[in-house]
Amino acid sequence: MRKMIAPALLAALLCGTALMPVTAGAAEVKNGGTMVVTYKDDLATLDPAIGYDWQNFSIIKAMFSGLMAYEPGSTKLRPNLAESYEQTADGLAYTFKLRQGVKFHNGRELTAEDVKYSIQRAVNPATQSPGQSFFSMIKGYEEAAKGDGTLSGITVVDPHTVRIELSRPDATFLHVMAINFSYAVPKEEVEKHGADFGRHPVGTGAFKMAEWTLGQRLVLERNPDYFEKGLPHLDQISFEIGQDPSVALLRLQRGEVDVLGDGIPPAKYLEVRNDAKNKDLVLEGNQLQTGYITMNTRMKPFDDVRVRQAVNMAVNKDRVVRIINGRAAPANQPLPPAMPGYAKDYKGYGFDQAKAKELLKAAGYPNGFETEILATNTDPNPRIVQAIQQDLSAVGIKAQVKTLAQANVVAAGGEEKGAAMIWSGGMAWIADFPDPSNFYGPILGCGSAVQGGWNWAWYCNKDLDALADKANAMVDPAKEQERIATWSTVFTKVMEDAPWVPVFNEKRIIMRSPRMAGPDAIFVDPVHYPVNYSHVYAKDVQ
């Protein structure tokens, strides 16, 4: 982080997030014990180069490590696999010194070659990593992204030193070294399992896989060789799959479950929140999140901006917020209000179904059209998408609703002609790192409009890509305000093209059992959902 108030720091201040490490008193923490987490849907993958939804993202963080990480419960960057790093004055080169003695779960020691291999694997188009474009600032990226992933900008200096050269200064580079796509994986295990590596994950993280019965149960166990002394606290974490959220809540109340992975069922939220006995069990915080509807700009009729603008005007966002008992605020742009770059004076598209009909008529659809909208099958998403369906019907758009398992919706979004519309609920964007660039590159930038990517609108505006690159190149702290203003321009211009309907910005709410403990900040950790698995501990360890 830069010494002045950088975006990450400012975001943390605005969100009320802790900026220093969160630690519990040593006397009260007892290592050992287990935790049970429930999910309705199975995990798609635990490959850090591939996994990119809120459900698997933090499980991957518990099993793998990168050069950089964040202090628990905060947005403060710190070295992780690297014990230190040096940056050149022009911001074009970084030299990382690795910790010695770090081991993969298979017992082999980590080297600088592993770091190089892992980043290049994410860039290699054969991997089909949705995070490929995150590495576009590294020297040689353009050739690597079209070839075999080999980056001329990464040099192994010695077994414990790696140097990374950039083609341009980039204010987000150290954040990129902290996201899952850059995490170290052992080449021999990837080659052994091939496309199934995500089912047989091997990393350097605090936990390693003990069991995975698809559709039923995933069990992680403590990594006894983990490099961070005293961590993790738990011996085991069990993820029970196929658990209806309402049933999971009952089981938590009976003491059978510790954390609700899918959250408190919306229909039960007020009842649970207002129950005095849950006072210390329900934790609430802000998060850098936006829930939105994508429209595939490469499929008719959504290739017409007037149609996309009409859809924005057709949706009653206030009604959608009421469906989830007010646990969010209506959104009018991709960025959430707590993120630097949020345009406070921007009004967006108001709810105006008469104007929506006029735009549809001008676009050649006076009687509307038929389409399809996908959503996940976890409550409240079916109810939300039905409300959206009703709003669209009021302007003549007949949208067939399909509710599917999360993995199927993700797969459809990553196909160029796979989905006309998607309601992102359950997969809505939560920042990978607290900088406005993260709400553009991976979900709106041209580089993410690729097979397997998360730009489900398949939106590409090369002029805005260039403006985004300009903002990212502003590494001088004196230009911080100019950088943030540039990002505001990017997102308001995105809304002129209207590839999305931003619907709401949701609050972060988590419920834990009485037996789970740790500082509150790790249960609303800005980069771990639903909890920072490495730092939670059990009270009932003897």
Side-chain angles (χ1 to χ4, degrees), residues 9 94-95 101 132 165 173 203 217 220 238 272 297 309 332 373 441 445 464 478 481 493 506-507:
L9 178 56
Y94 295 76
T95 301
Q132 182 193 56
E165 297 176 79
F173 174 69
R217 173 178 162 96
L220 305 185
S238 294
V272 171
T297 60
Q309 291 172 339
N332 63 11
I373 182 167
L464 292 188
Q481 293 305 312
K493 287 188 175 296
E506 195 170 3
K507 298 175 183 178

Side-chain angles (χ1 to χ4, degrees), residues 35-39 237-241 243 257-261 530-531 533:
M35 178 169 69
V36 176
V37 182
T38 58
Y39 281 111
I237 305 175
S238 294
F239 298 89
E240 297 190 4
I241 310 300
Q243 295 285 308
V257 166
D258 298 305
V259 172
L260 304 177
V531 60
Y533 295 117

